[in-house]
Amino acid sequence: MRYDIAGLIIDFQTNLKNMPEEFTSYVSESDGAADCEVNFLQCSELSPSQGRFLYEDGLKWYTHSENEDGFSVYLSTPLYPFGPVCKLTAAKDWRQVSIEYIKDLSDQQLAVFKFFSNIVIRNLILLHQGIILHASATKWRDKGIAFTAPAGTGKSTQAQLWETYRGATVINDDSSPILKRSAEKITIHGTPWCGSSHKHLNTSAPLNAIIVLEQNDNNSLHRLQEPELSSCLLPRFLLPYHDRRLMDLALSHIARIIASTPIYLLQCRPDQEAVELVHKVILNELDAG
C-alpha cells in the first residue's frame, strides 16, 4: 500500500490484514517511483549486527556492515531476555528499508509498525527539506501554529482550546507534525503519528508561529530572541544523533525555520485568555503585516 505523507510517497509492503486506521486518509494512488520502500515482515529470529555501534536512545544503532553502507536498529525488551525483538535495516539514503519482528510479537504488530514507521519518516524527511517537531499543530484560517514543550506541559490542551474558542482544526496532536522548507516558506504538515489522542488531518498550512509553552499562574507572551531560541527550541526537534550527515541537514533546516518564523514563549494557564492573548499579539500582527 502506498501513502503520501508531507509529499513523500512511501510504499509499505506488509502482510498486515489491516493497516493502522490513522493511515487511511494518506493513501496514495501514485504509480510513479516511491521515495521509500518499506518491507514489514515477521521472522523466526533476528540476525546480529555486523557493523560498528553508533548510538543508543532506547534503540541500539549500528552501521549495517563493515562497509558502513546503511543502518541497523535493534529494539530489546526485558520481557524477552533472549535477544532483540525487532530490527530495522535501512540504506544510507533511506530509500530501502526492512522492518523485522519476532513471532512472539504477533499480537503487537500494529504497535511495532507505527513505532518503526515513525523512525523511517523522521530520518527520510531530513533528506527532503523537512524535520519533525514534537508539537501539537493547529490550522486556523490557513495559518499554521505549532505549540511545543516537554511532555505534560499542555501542548494538546492549548491546541484543543484553539478548537473550542477559535474554530481551529488540529492537524497533529502531540507527536509528529512535519515542518517542510521551500524557497518561499515553511509549511507544517499533519502525519498519521499523532499520540494517544489519534487526532490528525492529512492537510498542511504555512507555518506562521511556533509557541513554546510554560505553565504559569498568569498569562504572558513575548517573542524569543537568541540565545533563548536555541535553548528553548532545539530540544523539541527529533534529531538524528546516529548520523553526522543527517544531523548537519537537520541543523540547517532548524536554522532556516528559526530565521523565517516568529517564535514566542507563552507562559500560561489552560484557559480562553491564553488563546486570546496569542490571537491578539501574534495573528493580528501577522495580518497587519
Side-chain angles (χ1 to χ4, degrees), residues 3-10 12 23 35-36 38 88 94 97 99 113-128 130-132 176-178 180 190-193 238 246:
Y3 297 89
D4 184 339
I5 299 170
L8 295 182
I9 303 299
I10 305 178
F12 289 105
F23 281 71
D35 294 293
C36 179
V38 181
L88 180 150
W94 288 85
V97 179
I99 301 169
F113 177 85
K114 287 192 284 188
F115 180 80
F116 278 94
S117 60
N118 181 265
I119 292 171
V120 173
I121 193 68
R122 72 172 63 173
N123 286 275
L124 180 67
I125 196 64
L126 293 169
L127 297 161
H128 295 269
I131 190 168
I132 288 178
S176 300
I178 287 173
K180 200 169 181 183
T191 75
W193 300 278
L238 303 186
L246 287 183

Side-chain angles (χ1 to χ4, degrees), residues 22 33 38 56 62 71 87 92 113 137 150 162 187 200-201 204 207 209 217 226 231 233 250 254 261 265 276-277:
E22 294 90 339
V38 181
E56 183 170 2
Y62 297 84
F71 304 97
K87 175 185 178 183
K92 205 163 188 176
F113 177 85
W162 271 80
T187 306
H200 66 100
L201 285 175
S204 63
L207 180 65
D217 291 336
E226 288 290 0
S231 60
L233 198 58
I254 293 169
T261 307
L265 175 65
E276 300 308 324
L277 181 61

Side-chain angles (χ1 to χ4, degrees), residues 26 56 84 101 215 258:
Y26 299 84
E56 183 170 2
Y101 62 97
Q215 294 179 349
I258 287 175

